[in-house]
Amino acid sequence: MLTIKCSRCKSKLYKYYKVGKGKVIKCHKSRIKKQFGIYRDNGNYKCKCGNIIGSDEDSYIKMNNKAFIYTGTKEG
Ligand SMILES: [Zn+2]
């Protein structure tokens, strides 16, 4: 399980169950386990500080790779 955090304010955004190796480019919504300070605004997902984390693509979030950091281990 990964913990996705905002790169600007370091707030936790959500926990994500990642399948497979490699970078976090998309986050499938069905694998987002727990949401903290993230909200949807105008087709984007934002941190409460206003940082745009990614865009809403229906079944997944297309991540803005400069906007987030993560901790934890990749599984699968
Ligand atoms: Zn933030």
Side-chain angles (χ1 to χ4, degrees):
M1 195 72 77
L2 302 178
T3 300
I4 308 286
K5 296 180 181 180
C6 176
S7 63
R8 186 195 283 175
C9 72
K10 315 294 189 230
S11 292
K12 285 183 189 174
L13 299 172
Y14 52 87
K15 289 186 183 285
Y16 184 63
Y17 183 77
K18 187 172 188 314
V19 176
K21 293 186 174 158
K23 290 182 180 175
V24 178
I25 296 165
K26 296 175 180 180
C27 281
H28 294 271
K29 291 178 186 176
S30 60
R31 297 197 216 124
I32 293 173
K33 298 304 175 191
K34 197 170 185 181
Q35 288 189 41
F36 303 102
I38 192 167
Y39 67 98
R40 194 176 175 283
D41 180 44
N42 253 334
N44 290 313
Y45 278 90
K46 292 183 177 178
C47 176
K48 61 191 174 186
C49 75
N51 194 15
I52 297 172
I53 304 303
S55 59
D56 187 355
E57 304 289 340
D58 286 333
S59 64
Y60 64 91
I61 303 170
K62 186 178 172 194
M63 303 299 282
N64 175 5
N65 67 356
K66 292 193 175 105
F68 71 98
I69 53 175
Y70 58 83
T71 57
T73 54
K74 296 176 192 172
E75 295 170 51

